[in-house]
Amino acid sequence: MEINNSVVRRAVASDAAAVADVWLRSFAAALPGVRRAHTDDQVRAWFREVVVPGQETWVATVDGSVVGMMVLDGEDLEQLYLDPAWQGQGIGGRLVHLAKQRRPAGLALWTFQVNESARRFYERHGFIADEATDGHRNEEREPDVRYVWRSGEQEL
């Protein structure tokens, strides 16, 4: 798929529905065996009422349509999701690069252990697995892994 007119920018209130839809499609495609803790409507309300207005939320758009989203919270890369149709096009890498620019001292994130493609993606971008849990701290109760990135660490 050719990327024309791609833009990465801060999300605005009118992006909330599209951001939630990207999250929902990506989660369903990447994690079909993981129990979601919230309904689609709850996810949409959370993005509309909490995430987009109150957190540092970024969107990647192509020809004006939201195809990716990222949320930063302190040193945490809280969310990074791409529409499945747009994965493998370099958009996720652009978002990670932006996160590193915004947090040059370092970043941390959690992903589910079963999400092998996400784990490979983060490892390619210089993140190192730092801690694994049985999932007792996340709402899905799914085993997860914490990754960290520090400026100056080797990247492929």
Side-chain angles (χ1 to χ4, degrees), residues 37-48:
H38 301 282
T39 66
D40 289 3
D41 287 342
Q42 290 170 327
V43 169
R44 288 184 179 102
W46 179 62
F47 278 104
R48 181 180 62 248

Side-chain angles (χ1 to χ4, degrees), residues 2-152:
E2 185 177 326
I3 299 178
N4 295 316
N5 302 318
S6 67
V7 173
V8 174
R9 61 171 172 77
R10 284 294 292 264
V12 295
S14 60
D15 292 321
V19 167
D21 287 342
V22 165
W23 188 97
L24 289 165
R25 284 191 301 274
S26 181
F27 193 100
L31 301 164
V34 174
R35 178 191 74 82
R36 281 202 5 233
H38 301 282
T39 66
D40 289 3
D41 287 342
Q42 290 170 327
V43 169
R44 288 184 179 102
W46 179 62
F47 278 104
R48 181 180 62 248
E49 298 166 11
V50 177
V51 177
V52 172
Q55 296 181 331
E56 185 178 344
T57 306
W58 293 83
V59 293
T61 66
V62 175
D63 293 329
S65 296
V66 174
V67 300
M69 55 81 70
M70 175 180 73
V71 178
L72 297 172
D73 183 13
E75 284 192 2
D76 291 329
L77 177 51
E78 280 292 318
Q79 309 279 334
L80 192 150
Y81 288 88
L82 296 178
D83 187 295
W86 288 94
Q87 292 177 0
Q89 306 296 314
I91 295 168
R94 281 182 69 188
L95 290 169
V96 167
H97 181 71
L98 174 64
K100 290 175 178 180
Q101 287 180 317
R102 305 277 306 159
R103 304 296 190 272
L107 290 164
L109 62 90
W110 289 92
T111 192
F112 295 122
Q113 291 182 29
V114 298
N115 195 345
E116 291 292 333
S117 63
R119 295 179 68 181
R120 284 191 307 272
F121 171 82
Y122 291 122
E123 290 167 5
R124 264 194 326 272
H125 287 279
F127 287 81
I128 298 168
D130 183 57
E131 175 184 1
T133 80
D134 62 4
H136 69 278
R137 290 184 287 192
N138 64 57
E139 292 179 309
E140 294 80 7
R141 301 295 180 242
E142 181 72 28
D144 55 6
V145 58
R146 180 176 184 263
Y147 279 90
V148 295
W149 168 82
R150 298 289 175 239
S151 182

